Amino acid sequence: MTDRVDDQPNLFSVGTQVVTLVDISGISELVHDPRGTVGVVVKSPTDHEHSYRVRFPDGFESTLKRSEITMLARFKKGEIGDITHAVAQEQLYQRVIFRCVIGSQAYGLANEASDVDRRGIYLPPADLHWSLHGVPEQLENQETQEAYWELQKFLVLALKANPNVLECLYIPLIEKVTPLAEELLAMKSVFLSRLVYQTYNGYVLSQFKKMQADIRNHGELKWKHVMHLIRLLLSGIGVLRDGFVPVRVDSYRDRLLAVRRGEIPWEEVEQWRLSLHQEFNAAFETTTLPERPDYERANAFLISARHRALSEELP
């Protein structure tokens, strides 16, 4: 879960302002500082088993366990934004309106070792969304390899031409779709624009630059990542040329899998990448996609969805 509380919170560093959760005893076991006093950590332990040394405004110092103090910033925040006080996050999984299978399974690049990854969208209840607690932008379950974006977060990412999000709108392996999600899929073309060129190209360029540094410094490569970057370029070219997101890469399957296995020399992969960038440039010059996505339609859909979130039943 995105908003889960860490069972092993990070250690407080020296200088951190903290609030005491217990009374602080002084001489003769009398209370020197009451619960709720603010102090500063002057010595931090190396693990959660040992205590902190905390100094208070009058110069008095005390040894306190991790369970006896909390950060001042967290103390002031209280339950604001803490979803766990409002609803069990498991209940939000009941608000999933769209679920699909992504990754190698969807691209046609899976093998016997490939995981089954799922992504989708959830629509939070209106009351919870409007409350002080708010809702997480993403639900995530690492054990089941699934994650769900809150609807507004999904729409914003789609409008920015996020590749992972756009693929969800065009993916063939759909496991769940409510009537509201059907409406979204019916208008998926409004999210496509020339921004795809900058987003896809920019990400691939930055990642290849990092990999070139890895080769120089470590002589190692993550070939699976290289394969997916090449696939991303192929996808971006298809979006600009044909006006939809191509998910399966059957015609390139054998060559892409050879890249994943490290069977194609780096120099040859680099040449393939450079030629794809040239194709991308050419597709950008001739594409009929608009400069920007249709923000108005996306906004109108979100407002409509928010109204329907008032209903107890999932739209």
Side-chain angles (χ1 to χ4, degrees):
M1 302 294 183
T2 303
D3 288 4
R4 62 181 179 274
V5 176
D6 196 341
D7 293 329
Q8 294 292 330
N10 294 330
L11 293 167
F12 298 147
S13 59
V14 172
T16 301
Q17 288 186 296
V18 295
V19 176
T20 61
L21 302 178
V22 295
D23 292 336
I24 306 302
S25 299
I27 300 174
S28 301
E29 299 301 317
L30 296 176
V31 175
H32 184 278
D33 290 295
R35 171 182 175 145
T37 301
V38 176
V40 177
V41 173
V42 293
K43 185 176 180 180
S44 180
T46 57
D47 56 48
H48 295 289
E49 301 301 321
H50 294 81
S51 299
Y52 291 83
R53 191 74 180 173
V54 178
R55 180 179 297 152
F56 297 96
D58 60 359
F60 179 77
E61 294 185 4
S62 179
T63 300
L64 294 166
K65 298 178 181 179
R66 174 64 182 82
S67 60
E68 296 174 328
I69 56 176
T70 187
M71 288 181 63
L72 175 60
R74 177 174 293 183
F75 184 82
K76 291 192 294 185
K77 183 178 179 182
E79 295 181 8
I80 297 174
D82 189 349
I83 188 69
T84 59
H85 286 274
V87 63
Q89 288 204 21
E90 288 74 12
Q91 295 181 26
L92 294 179
Y93 280 87
Q94 304 303 314
R95 302 288 299 182
V96 170
I97 62 172
F98 177 76
R99 181 174 64 245
C100 64
V101 176
I102 64 163
S104 296
Q105 303 287 347
Y107 306 141
L109 298 171
N111 56 30
E112 60 278 359
S114 297
D115 294 327
V116 178
D117 298 317
R118 293 176 171 85
R119 296 292 181 272
I121 309 167
Y122 85 98
L123 178 71
D127 288 350
L128 180 61
H129 191 197
W130 294 335
S131 72
L132 285 174
H133 304 288
V135 295
E137 291 187 335
Q138 182 173 315
L139 305 175
E140 186 174 358
N141 188 326
Q142 296 181 355
E143 293 182 2
T144 58
Q145 297 292 310
E146 58 185 321
Y148 303 94
W149 291 282
E150 191 277 319
L151 178 60
Q152 180 175 345
K153 180 67 174 181
F154 182 91
L155 296 177
V156 169
L157 290 173
L159 291 168
K160 292 180 178 180
N162 179 285
N164 294 328
V165 170
L166 289 181
E167 284 177 357
C168 287
L169 293 171
Y170 286 82
I171 217 132
L173 301 179
I174 297 176
E175 294 184 337
K176 179 178 181 179
V177 56
T178 68
L180 178 63
E182 289 277 13
E183 293 179 29
L184 178 60
L185 294 179
M187 56 177 279
K188 58 190 176 185
S189 62
V190 307
F191 298 98
L192 299 185
S193 72
R194 296 188 179 205
L195 286 178
V196 166
Y197 176 75
Q198 288 84 7
T199 303
Y200 285 49
N201 241 343
Y203 179 71
V204 172
L205 285 171
S206 66
Q207 292 300 301
F208 263 83
K209 184 177 180 180
K210 291 180 181 178
M211 286 189 289
Q212 288 166 345
D214 289 339
I215 293 175
R216 290 193 303 268
N217 298 329
H218 310 291
E220 297 179 354
L221 273 177
K222 295 181 179 179
W223 287 105
K224 182 179 179 180
H225 187 44
V226 175
M227 176 194 72
H228 281 299
L229 291 173
I230 296 294
R231 182 199 58 78
L232 191 61
L233 284 176
L234 292 167
S235 177
I237 293 169
V239 174
L240 295 183
R241 284 180 176 173
D242 305 316
F244 68 90
V245 180
V247 177
R248 293 190 63 86
V249 288
D250 297 303
S251 57
Y252 299 97
R253 173 182 164 83
D254 292 341
R255 194 176 181 187
L256 287 170
L257 291 178
V259 170
R260 182 166 68 182
R261 293 190 295 265
E263 297 172 354
I264 299 180
W266 169 255
E267 294 75 14
E268 186 176 334
V269 174
E270 178 72 350
Q271 287 301 313
W272 189 12
R273 176 184 73 87
L274 293 174
S275 68
L276 289 176
H277 279 302
Q278 292 179 348
E279 288 187 50
F280 216 160
N281 292 340
F284 181 65
E285 292 177 0
T286 59
T287 187
T288 59
L289 290 180
E291 289 289 336
R292 298 283 176 173
D294 194 334
Y295 298 106
E296 289 75 16
R297 282 195 63 186
N299 189 57
F301 173 80
L302 178 61
I303 292 173
S304 175
R306 291 283 186 251
H307 283 296
R308 282 182 274 183
L310 284 165
S311 172
E312 292 185 3
E313 294 185 3
L314 190 64

mmCIF file of all heavy atoms in Angstrom, residues 63-94:
data_model
loop_
_atom_site.group_PDB
_atom_site.id
_atom_site.type_symbol
_atom_site.label_atom_id
_atom_site.label_comp_id
_atom_site.label_asym_id
_atom_site.label_seq_id
_atom_site.Cartn_x
_atom_site.Cartn_y
_atom_site.Cartn_z
ATOM 1 N N THR A 63 17.107 9.766 28.703
ATOM 2 C CA THR A 63 17.227 8.628 27.792
ATOM 3 C C THR A 63 15.841 8.059 27.543
ATOM 4 O O THR A 63 15.126 7.700 28.491
ATOM 5 C CB THR A 63 18.141 7.546 28.396
ATOM 6 O OG1 THR A 63 19.433 8.105 28.626
ATOM 7 C CG2 THR A 63 18.263 6.371 27.450
ATOM 8 N N LEU A 64 15.452 7.968 26.268
ATOM 9 C CA LEU A 64 14.098 7.541 25.929
ATOM 10 C C LEU A 64 14.124 6.499 24.811
ATOM 11 O O LEU A 64 14.934 6.583 23.885
ATOM 12 C CB LEU A 64 13.258 8.741 25.474
ATOM 13 C CG LEU A 64 12.990 9.796 26.548
ATOM 14 C CD1 LEU A 64 12.468 11.075 25.900
ATOM 15 C CD2 LEU A 64 11.994 9.264 27.561
ATOM 16 N N LYS A 65 13.210 5.550 24.916
ATOM 17 C CA LYS A 65 13.076 4.523 23.890
ATOM 18 C C LYS A 65 12.308 5.085 22.691
ATOM 19 O O LYS A 65 11.618 6.095 22.785
ATOM 20 C CB LYS A 65 12.342 3.309 24.449
ATOM 21 C CG LYS A 65 13.073 2.620 25.599
ATOM 22 C CD LYS A 65 12.248 1.462 26.137
ATOM 23 C CE LYS A 65 12.954 0.788 27.302
ATOM 24 N NZ LYS A 65 12.139 -0.336 27.858
ATOM 25 N N ARG A 66 12.423 4.379 21.570
ATOM 26 C CA ARG A 66 11.726 4.817 20.345
ATOM 27 C C ARG A 66 10.222 4.908 20.555
ATOM 28 O O ARG A 66 9.567 5.805 20.030
ATOM 29 C CB ARG A 66 12.052 3.842 19.206
ATOM 30 C CG ARG A 66 11.275 4.085 17.912
ATOM 31 C CD ARG A 66 11.634 5.440 17.321
ATOM 32 N NE ARG A 66 10.861 5.692 16.114
ATOM 33 C CZ ARG A 66 9.632 6.154 16.083
ATOM 34 N NH1 ARG A 66 8.985 6.386 17.234
ATOM 35 N NH2 ARG A 66 9.014 6.385 14.959
ATOM 36 N N SER A 67 9.664 4.004 21.355
ATOM 37 C CA SER A 67 8.218 3.997 21.597
ATOM 38 C C SER A 67 7.765 5.141 22.490
ATOM 39 O O SER A 67 6.564 5.375 22.649
ATOM 40 C CB SER A 67 7.800 2.667 22.236
ATOM 41 O OG SER A 67 8.470 2.481 23.479
ATOM 42 N N GLU A 68 8.731 5.877 23.089
ATOM 43 C CA GLU A 68 8.389 6.945 24.027
ATOM 44 C C GLU A 68 8.466 8.338 23.414
ATOM 45 O O GLU A 68 8.203 9.327 24.096
ATOM 46 C CB GLU A 68 9.317 6.866 25.247
ATOM 47 C CG GLU A 68 9.135 5.572 26.039
ATOM 48 C CD GLU A 68 10.144 5.430 27.160
ATOM 49 O OE1 GLU A 68 11.294 5.922 27.023
ATOM 50 O OE2 GLU A 68 9.784 4.822 28.195
ATOM 51 N N ILE A 69 8.830 8.425 22.136
ATOM 52 C CA ILE A 69 8.909 9.713 21.450
ATOM 53 C C ILE A 69 8.356 9.583 20.038
ATOM 54 O O ILE A 69 8.276 8.484 19.475
ATOM 55 C CB ILE A 69 10.366 10.240 21.377
ATOM 56 C CG1 ILE A 69 11.263 9.196 20.702
ATOM 57 C CG2 ILE A 69 10.875 10.627 22.741
ATOM 58 C CD1 ILE A 69 12.697 9.662 20.496
ATOM 59 N N THR A 70 7.976 10.706 19.471
ATOM 60 C CA THR A 70 7.553 10.750 18.077
ATOM 61 C C THR A 70 8.019 12.077 17.486
ATOM 62 O O THR A 70 8.278 13.042 18.220
ATOM 63 C CB THR A 70 6.021 10.611 17.943
ATOM 64 O OG1 THR A 70 5.678 10.492 16.549
ATOM 65 C CG2 THR A 70 5.299 11.828 18.517
ATOM 66 N N MET A 71 8.131 12.136 16.188
ATOM 67 C CA MET A 71 8.562 13.374 15.546
ATOM 68 C C MET A 71 7.535 14.474 15.760
ATOM 69 O O MET A 71 6.324 14.224 15.719
ATOM 70 C CB MET A 71 8.763 13.158 14.037
ATOM 71 C CG MET A 71 9.978 12.325 13.678
ATOM 72 S SD MET A 71 10.162 12.132 11.887
ATOM 73 C CE MET A 71 10.414 13.845 11.404
ATOM 74 N N LEU A 72 7.994 15.696 15.986
ATOM 75 C CA LEU A 72 7.107 16.829 16.190
ATOM 76 C C LEU A 72 6.185 17.024 14.996
ATOM 77 O O LEU A 72 4.983 17.258 15.155
ATOM 78 C CB LEU A 72 7.926 18.103 16.441
ATOM 79 C CG LEU A 72 7.133 19.416 16.557
ATOM 80 C CD1 LEU A 72 6.147 19.349 17.711
ATOM 81 C CD2 LEU A 72 8.088 20.599 16.716
ATOM 82 N N ALA A 73 6.732 16.913 13.794
ATOM 83 C CA ALA A 73 5.922 17.116 12.588
ATOM 84 C C ALA A 73 4.800 16.096 12.510
ATOM 85 O O ALA A 73 3.661 16.426 12.174
ATOM 86 C CB ALA A 73 6.806 17.030 11.349
ATOM 87 N N ARG A 74 5.097 14.829 12.853
ATOM 88 C CA ARG A 74 4.062 13.797 12.822
ATOM 89 C C ARG A 74 3.041 14.033 13.925
ATOM 90 O O ARG A 74 1.841 13.808 13.743
ATOM 91 C CB ARG A 74 4.700 12.420 12.951
ATOM 92 C CG ARG A 74 3.694 11.272 12.995
ATOM 93 C CD ARG A 74 4.369 9.924 12.978
ATOM 94 N NE ARG A 74 5.034 9.682 11.699
ATOM 95 C CZ ARG A 74 5.657 8.535 11.394
ATOM 96 N NH1 ARG A 74 5.704 7.559 12.276
ATOM 97 N NH2 ARG A 74 6.226 8.381 10.223
ATOM 98 N N PHE A 75 3.497 14.462 15.085
ATOM 99 C CA PHE A 75 2.604 14.710 16.212
ATOM 100 C C PHE A 75 1.585 15.795 15.863
ATOM 101 O O PHE A 75 0.398 15.689 16.181
ATOM 102 C CB PHE A 75 3.423 15.122 17.436
ATOM 103 C CG PHE A 75 2.607 15.302 18.686
ATOM 104 C CD1 PHE A 75 2.251 14.200 19.453
ATOM 105 C CD2 PHE A 75 2.200 16.566 19.097
ATOM 106 C CE1 PHE A 75 1.494 14.365 20.621
ATOM 107 C CE2 PHE A 75 1.450 16.727 20.249
ATOM 108 C CZ PHE A 75 1.094 15.627 21.010
ATOM 109 N N LYS A 76 2.053 16.864 15.219
ATOM 110 C CA LYS A 76 1.156 17.967 14.858
ATOM 111 C C LYS A 76 0.158 17.550 13.780
ATOM 112 O O LYS A 76 -0.979 18.023 13.754
ATOM 113 C CB LYS A 76 1.977 19.168 14.373
ATOM 114 C CG LYS A 76 2.776 19.840 15.468
ATOM 115 C CD LYS A 76 3.334 21.188 15.026
ATOM 116 C CE LYS A 76 4.353 21.048 13.923
ATOM 117 N NZ LYS A 76 4.972 22.351 13.572
ATOM 118 N N LYS A 77 0.609 16.663 12.913
ATOM 119 C CA LYS A 77 -0.267 16.220 11.829
ATOM 120 C C LYS A 77 -1.416 15.377 12.349
ATOM 121 O O LYS A 77 -2.533 15.433 11.828
ATOM 122 C CB LYS A 77 0.551 15.424 10.811
ATOM 123 C CG LYS A 77 -0.231 14.974 9.593
ATOM 124 C CD LYS A 77 0.673 14.239 8.614
ATOM 125 C CE LYS A 77 -0.093 13.767 7.391
ATOM 126 N NZ LYS A 77 0.769 13.011 6.448
ATOM 127 N N GLY A 78 -1.154 14.581 13.409
ATOM 128 C CA GLY A 78 -2.201 13.746 13.975
ATOM 129 C C GLY A 78 -2.718 12.741 12.971
ATOM 130 O O GLY A 78 -1.951 12.078 12.277
ATOM 131 N N GLU A 79 -4.036 12.647 12.862
ATOM 132 C CA GLU A 79 -4.656 11.673 11.974
ATOM 133 C C GLU A 79 -4.964 12.251 10.596
ATOM 134 O O GLU A 79 -5.528 11.568 9.751
ATOM 135 C CB GLU A 79 -5.941 11.136 12.596
ATOM 136 C CG GLU A 79 -5.707 10.335 13.881
ATOM 137 C CD GLU A 79 -6.995 9.796 14.447
ATOM 138 O OE1 GLU A 79 -8.031 9.921 13.762
ATOM 139 O OE2 GLU A 79 -6.977 9.254 15.559
ATOM 140 N N ILE A 80 -4.591 13.524 10.382
ATOM 141 C CA ILE A 80 -4.848 14.120 9.072
ATOM 142 C C ILE A 80 -4.049 13.359 8.013
ATOM 143 O O ILE A 80 -2.840 13.208 8.117
ATOM 144 C CB ILE A 80 -4.453 15.605 9.055
ATOM 145 C CG1 ILE A 80 -5.314 16.393 10.047
ATOM 146 C CG2 ILE A 80 -4.588 16.187 7.656
ATOM 147 C CD1 ILE A 80 -4.898 17.841 10.198
ATOM 148 N N GLY A 81 -4.731 12.906 7.004
ATOM 149 C CA GLY A 81 -4.059 12.192 5.929
ATOM 150 C C GLY A 81 -3.745 10.745 6.241
ATOM 151 O O GLY A 81 -3.191 10.033 5.404
ATOM 152 N N ASP A 82 -4.103 10.273 7.445
ATOM 153 C CA ASP A 82 -3.824 8.887 7.807
ATOM 154 C C ASP A 82 -5.028 8.031 7.447
ATOM 155 O O ASP A 82 -6.000 7.944 8.183
ATOM 156 C CB ASP A 82 -3.514 8.788 9.301
ATOM 157 C CG ASP A 82 -2.994 7.413 9.690
ATOM 158 O OD1 ASP A 82 -3.077 6.498 8.837
ATOM 159 O OD2 ASP A 82 -2.518 7.264 10.814
ATOM 160 N N ILE A 83 -4.955 7.391 6.310
ATOM 161 C CA ILE A 83 -6.080 6.626 5.790
ATOM 162 C C ILE A 83 -6.422 5.450 6.690
ATOM 163 O O ILE A 83 -7.561 4.984 6.729
ATOM 164 C CB ILE A 83 -5.767 6.134 4.357
ATOM 165 C CG1 ILE A 83 -6.989 5.500 3.684
ATOM 166 C CG2 ILE A 83 -4.615 5.163 4.361
ATOM 167 C CD1 ILE A 83 -8.049 6.495 3.362
ATOM 168 N N THR A 84 -5.433 4.944 7.446
ATOM 169 C CA THR A 84 -5.681 3.773 8.276
ATOM 170 C C THR A 84 -6.686 4.054 9.384
ATOM 171 O O THR A 84 -7.300 3.133 9.920
ATOM 172 C CB THR A 84 -4.369 3.266 8.910
ATOM 173 O OG1 THR A 84 -3.804 4.311 9.712
ATOM 174 C CG2 THR A 84 -3.375 2.861 7.837
ATOM 175 N N HIS A 85 -6.882 5.330 9.737
ATOM 176 C CA HIS A 85 -7.849 5.676 10.775
ATOM 177 C C HIS A 85 -9.258 5.816 10.196
ATOM 178 O O HIS A 85 -10.224 5.935 10.944
ATOM 179 C CB HIS A 85 -7.459 6.980 11.470
ATOM 180 C CG HIS A 85 -6.301 6.825 12.385
ATOM 181 N ND1 HIS A 85 -6.427 6.420 13.690
ATOM 182 C CD2 HIS A 85 -4.967 7.003 12.172
ATOM 183 C CE1 HIS A 85 -5.230 6.361 14.266
ATOM 184 N NE2 HIS A 85 -4.338 6.711 13.368
ATOM 185 N N ALA A 86 -9.365 5.821 8.896
ATOM 186 C CA ALA A 86 -10.672 6.032 8.282
ATOM 187 C C ALA A 86 -11.272 4.750 7.720
ATOM 188 O O ALA A 86 -12.459 4.506 7.855
ATOM 189 C CB ALA A 86 -10.558 7.071 7.160
ATOM 190 N N VAL A 87 -10.447 3.930 7.112
ATOM 191 C CA VAL A 87 -10.946 2.715 6.474
ATOM 192 C C VAL A 87 -9.767 1.790 6.233
ATOM 193 O O VAL A 87 -8.657 2.234 5.961
ATOM 194 C CB VAL A 87 -11.652 3.059 5.136
ATOM 195 C CG1 VAL A 87 -10.684 3.684 4.150
ATOM 196 C CG2 VAL A 87 -12.298 1.806 4.520
ATOM 197 N N ALA A 88 -10.002 0.517 6.360
ATOM 198 C CA ALA A 88 -8.959 -0.441 6.028
ATOM 199 C C ALA A 88 -8.710 -0.373 4.528
ATOM 200 O O ALA A 88 -9.649 -0.378 3.720
ATOM 201 C CB ALA A 88 -9.402 -1.848 6.425
ATOM 202 N N GLN A 89 -7.438 -0.282 4.146
ATOM 203 C CA GLN A 89 -7.158 -0.116 2.717
ATOM 204 C C GLN A 89 -7.625 -1.312 1.891
ATOM 205 O O GLN A 89 -7.866 -1.184 0.696
ATOM 206 C CB GLN A 89 -5.657 0.124 2.505
ATOM 207 C CG GLN A 89 -5.227 1.500 2.960
ATOM 208 C CD GLN A 89 -3.968 1.960 2.245
ATOM 209 O OE1 GLN A 89 -3.609 1.482 1.188
ATOM 210 N NE2 GLN A 89 -3.297 2.917 2.845
ATOM 211 N N GLU A 90 -7.787 -2.465 2.548
ATOM 212 C CA GLU A 90 -8.304 -3.612 1.815
ATOM 213 C C GLU A 90 -9.685 -3.309 1.240
ATOM 214 O O GLU A 90 -10.058 -3.822 0.191
ATOM 215 C CB GLU A 90 -8.365 -4.836 2.739
ATOM 216 C CG GLU A 90 -7.025 -5.442 3.104
ATOM 217 C CD GLU A 90 -6.258 -4.607 4.107
ATOM 218 O OE1 GLU A 90 -6.868 -3.674 4.700
ATOM 219 O OE2 GLU A 90 -5.048 -4.856 4.302
ATOM 220 N N GLN A 91 -10.442 -2.459 1.957
ATOM 221 C CA GLN A 91 -11.773 -2.109 1.466
ATOM 222 C C GLN A 91 -11.699 -1.309 0.171
ATOM 223 O O GLN A 91 -12.624 -1.345 -0.645
ATOM 224 C CB GLN A 91 -12.528 -1.322 2.541
ATOM 225 C CG GLN A 91 -12.826 -2.121 3.800
ATOM 226 C CD GLN A 91 -13.590 -1.309 4.814
ATOM 227 O OE1 GLN A 91 -14.299 -0.364 4.470
ATOM 228 N NE2 GLN A 91 -13.460 -1.675 6.085
ATOM 229 N N LEU A 92 -10.627 -0.559 -0.011
ATOM 230 C CA LEU A 92 -10.493 0.230 -1.236
ATOM 231 C C LEU A 92 -10.300 -0.657 -2.462
ATOM 232 O O LEU A 92 -10.602 -0.242 -3.576
ATOM 233 C CB LEU A 92 -9.327 1.212 -1.100
ATOM 234 C CG LEU A 92 -9.519 2.319 -0.054
ATOM 235 C CD1 LEU A 92 -8.292 3.219 -0.001
ATOM 236 C CD2 LEU A 92 -10.764 3.146 -0.364
ATOM 237 N N TYR A 93 -9.806 -1.866 -2.250
ATOM 238 C CA TYR A 93 -9.674 -2.791 -3.381
ATOM 239 C C TYR A 93 -11.048 -3.176 -3.935
ATOM 240 O O TYR A 93 -11.165 -3.602 -5.086
ATOM 241 C CB TYR A 93 -8.899 -4.046 -2.968
ATOM 242 C CG TYR A 93 -7.396 -3.841 -2.943
ATOM 243 C CD1 TYR A 93 -6.769 -3.357 -1.812
ATOM 244 C CD2 TYR A 93 -6.619 -4.127 -4.059
ATOM 245 C CE1 TYR A 93 -5.403 -3.160 -1.777
ATOM 246 C CE2 TYR A 93 -5.248 -3.941 -4.044
ATOM 247 C CZ TYR A 93 -4.647 -3.460 -2.899
ATOM 248 O OH TYR A 93 -3.288 -3.252 -2.877
ATOM 249 N N GLN A 94 -12.069 -3.032 -3.088
ATOM 250 C CA GLN A 94 -13.433 -3.295 -3.558
ATOM 251 C C GLN A 94 -13.932 -2.179 -4.469
ATOM 252 O O GLN A 94 -14.989 -2.298 -5.085
ATOM 253 C CB GLN A 94 -14.375 -3.453 -2.362
ATOM 254 C CG GLN A 94 -13.952 -4.526 -1.381
ATOM 255 C CD GLN A 94 -13.806 -5.886 -2.031
ATOM 256 O OE1 GLN A 94 -14.680 -6.307 -2.809
ATOM 257 N NE2 GLN A 94 -12.723 -6.580 -1.731
#
